[in-house]
Amino acid sequence: MAESVRKIGLSLGADLCWPACYEAIMRRLDLRVPSPVPGESGTLRFEVERVTIEPYDLRQPCSYDLVIDRLTHWFHTSREWIKKAVIMNDLYVFNNPWSVQSMEKHTAYAAMMHLGMPVPDTWMIPPKSYATTNPDLRPTLMRYARLFDIGKLGPKLGYPMFVKPYDGGGWRSVRKVDDEAELRAAYEDSGADVMHVQAGILPHDGFVRSVGLGPQVRHVSYDPDQPLHDRYRILHYEGLGEDDLETLRKVTLTINTFFGWEFNSCESLRQGGVWHPMDFANACPDSQVTSLHYHFPWLVKAYIRWSLFCAATDRPMRRTLDWAPYYEIAASDRSYAEKLDAYGAIADERLETARFEEFCAEHLGELDAVAADFFASDEARAAVRDKVAALFPKHEIEEFTALFWDRIQQWRREEGEG
């Protein structure tokens, strides 16, 4: 029987740990599956290669069937190569490079508000200063910019509130303000950034970050007041019932499929039994062992499952975002819960959830055991140490390598093989 190859490219920046683990587990799996593509016979195997950065002809062919992209949100040469390859060569990539490029937090807030999600009240405010030397700036501001009193947002939104960049990431310049003096100070310190001021959901009795990769979602209790290595809590389902998990799954996958993001994270706060999504344009979310620790092996396996499914089934890249079905639901007289059910059904259809689960059950039955075995190996520990050494001072490398390794071993005991 003929054998063909599906080639997976890894478009990487500073990532060290997850690609090393991804590659190692793929080698150990050495997977061969009958082609699931209608009309295509034979056996498929898979190769993984890291994508390099070099000059390219816009008409040149692309050797990859699928690319996992972790670079183009900020590195424009790779971004434009991927966009060219999608247009010219039918490359499948996650995430959608046009959507990642243009859909910042501001757009995401507005879109999900339109769909009826209980996003906290949010205002945009003009920047305090301007970095541009554009000669049109001064006449534009003189003619059209209106003086405003930022203190008047206090009675509208209530304290505490949060001041943060409209396109922020990684908690950059996020500031909690408890009174008018702090609000004014935060604005004075914001420089040339265009900022949001967002109502706080306080008090709340749940703070969850839901990580979605394809149809796979992992909900993790989150504590932003802790150091980065302790923000993701190991007791990730603490205080969450099945209804909570299903609501958060639908919210996460609705956001992801609306914007064409297959890999994204959504932070939500629960108040009075209602989940308020409040930070969810994270289409290049943290994938490092130094923050995910216990949850890191889940993420590596999620990368493997979704990339193998997409490559094996020759899943086509969705060329348009097609928001109309969501807006039709939003305009209906259904309750929010009913709308969320309908949004979730669109998400499952677009992500081929049922077909994905069948593929995993039929072809990836060994993945859990292979991954559990790998994450006990010296090779896995070396990948953890390499990432720690890249981020931590020399005198802390062994301490934090041991910490993250111990948490991975806890994962192996509790979740490793199923």
Side-chain angles (χ1 to χ4, degrees), residues 13-81:
D15 297 287
L16 291 173
C17 47
W18 80 259
C21 296
Y22 177 99
E23 292 163 335
I25 293 173
M26 288 286 284
R27 287 194 298 269
R28 291 181 180 219
L29 274 176
D30 193 22
L31 190 68
R32 283 164 173 77
V33 303
S35 174
V37 178
E40 181 181 79
S41 60
T43 302
L44 301 179
R45 63 182 180 86
F46 304 86
E47 292 181 356
V48 181
E49 180 179 278
R50 301 194 180 194
V51 179
T52 56
I53 301 167
E54 54 192 290
Y56 60 89
D57 181 346
L58 271 64
R59 289 189 173 89
Q60 75 185 40
C62 175
S63 65
Y64 302 105
D65 297 283
L66 177 146
V67 167
I68 300 173
D69 173 36
R70 289 284 301 176
L71 180 59
T72 64
H73 61 291
W74 69 271
F75 194 79
H76 291 188
T77 303
S78 295
R79 174 194 293 170
E80 299 310 313
W81 174 80

Side-chain angles (χ1 to χ4, degrees), residues 4-10 18 21-37 40 44-49 65-68 92 94 213-216 262 299-316 351-352 355-368 370-371:
S4 57
V5 176
R6 294 285 200 266
K7 191 172 180 181
I8 298 172
L10 306 182
W18 80 259
C21 296
Y22 177 99
E23 292 163 335
I25 293 173
M26 288 286 284
R27 287 194 298 269
R28 291 181 180 219
L29 274 176
D30 193 22
L31 190 68
R32 283 164 173 77
V33 303
S35 174
V37 178
E40 181 181 79
L44 301 179
R45 63 182 180 86
F46 304 86
E47 292 181 356
V48 181
E49 180 179 278
D65 297 283
L66 177 146
V67 167
I68 300 173
Y92 190 92
F94 52 93
L213 212 170
Q216 307 160 100
E262 293 156 279
L299 181 67
V300 175
K301 290 198 298 180
Y303 266 125
I304 290 171
R305 289 192 191 98
W306 184 239
S307 60
L308 286 175
F309 169 75
C310 294
T313 60
D314 204 16
R315 178 175 162 88
L351 293 169
E352 299 182 280
R355 189 183 182 200
F356 167 75
E357 291 173 350
E358 291 172 2
F359 177 88
C360 292
E362 183 174 356
H363 301 298
L364 299 182
E366 295 182 1
L367 176 59
D368 287 338
V370 169

Side-chain angles (χ1 to χ4, degrees), residues 256-316:
N256 291 5
T257 53
F258 186 92
F259 289 113
W261 300 331
E262 293 156 279
F263 186 24
N264 185 45
S265 66
C266 173
E267 293 176 10
S268 302
L269 300 169
R270 184 176 61 188
Q271 185 183 70
V274 176
W275 286 101
H276 299 265
M278 38 66 70
D279 192 329
F280 44 83
N282 303 306
C284 191
D286 195 350
S287 296
Q288 313 308 321
V289 70
T290 44
S291 53
L292 295 176
H293 50 86
Y294 178 93
H295 309 283
F296 177 70
W298 176 89
L299 181 67
V300 175
K301 290 198 298 180
Y303 266 125
I304 290 171
R305 289 192 191 98
W306 184 239
S307 60
L308 286 175
F309 169 75
C310 294
T313 60
D314 204 16
R315 178 175 162 88

Side-chain angles (χ1 to χ4, degrees), residues 329-351:
I329 295 166
S332 72
D333 59 1
R334 284 176 267 195
S335 68
Y336 173 58
E338 291 169 334
K339 290 179 180 179
L340 194 57
D341 286 343
Y343 299 145
I346 294 175
D348 283 326
E349 179 184 5
R350 292 190 176 188
L351 293 169

Side-chain angles (χ1 to χ4, degrees), residues 192-337:
D193 282 336
V194 178
M195 304 297 283
H196 276 155
V197 182
Q198 188 173 77
I201 304 298
L202 294 168
H204 55 259
D205 61 2
F207 190 155
V208 170
R209 174 171 275 199
S210 301
V211 181
L213 212 170
Q216 307 160 100
V217 184
R218 188 171 181 90
H219 311 290
V220 185
S221 293
Y222 194 72
D223 186 352
D225 294 327
Q226 296 299 317
L228 183 61
H229 64 275
D230 276 332
R231 290 180 184 174
Y232 287 88
R233 301 187 63 185
I234 292 175
L235 297 173
H236 53 296
Y237 285 166
E238 185 178 24
L240 300 183
E242 288 301 318
D243 289 345
D244 293 309
L245 298 177
E246 183 61 9
T247 294
L248 292 169
R249 184 189 79 87
K250 291 172 185 173
V251 166
T252 302
L253 296 186
T254 297
I255 293 166
N256 291 5
T257 53
F258 186 92
F259 289 113
W261 300 331
E262 293 156 279
F263 186 24
N264 185 45
S265 66
C266 173
E267 293 176 10
S268 302
L269 300 169
R270 184 176 61 188
Q271 185 183 70
V274 176
W275 286 101
H276 299 265
M278 38 66 70
D279 192 329
F280 44 83
N282 303 306
C284 191
D286 195 350
S287 296
Q288 313 308 321
V289 70
T290 44
S291 53
L292 295 176
H293 50 86
Y294 178 93
H295 309 283
F296 177 70
W298 176 89
L299 181 67
V300 175
K301 290 198 298 180
Y303 266 125
I304 290 171
R305 289 192 191 98
W306 184 239
S307 60
L308 286 175
F309 169 75
C310 294
T313 60
D314 204 16
R315 178 175 162 88
M317 187 77 183
R318 193 173 189 89
R319 297 185 181 275
T320 64
L321 297 180
D322 188 14
W323 292 341
Y326 299 92
Y327 283 156
E328 289 172 8
I329 295 166
S332 72
D333 59 1
R334 284 176 267 195
S335 68
Y336 173 58

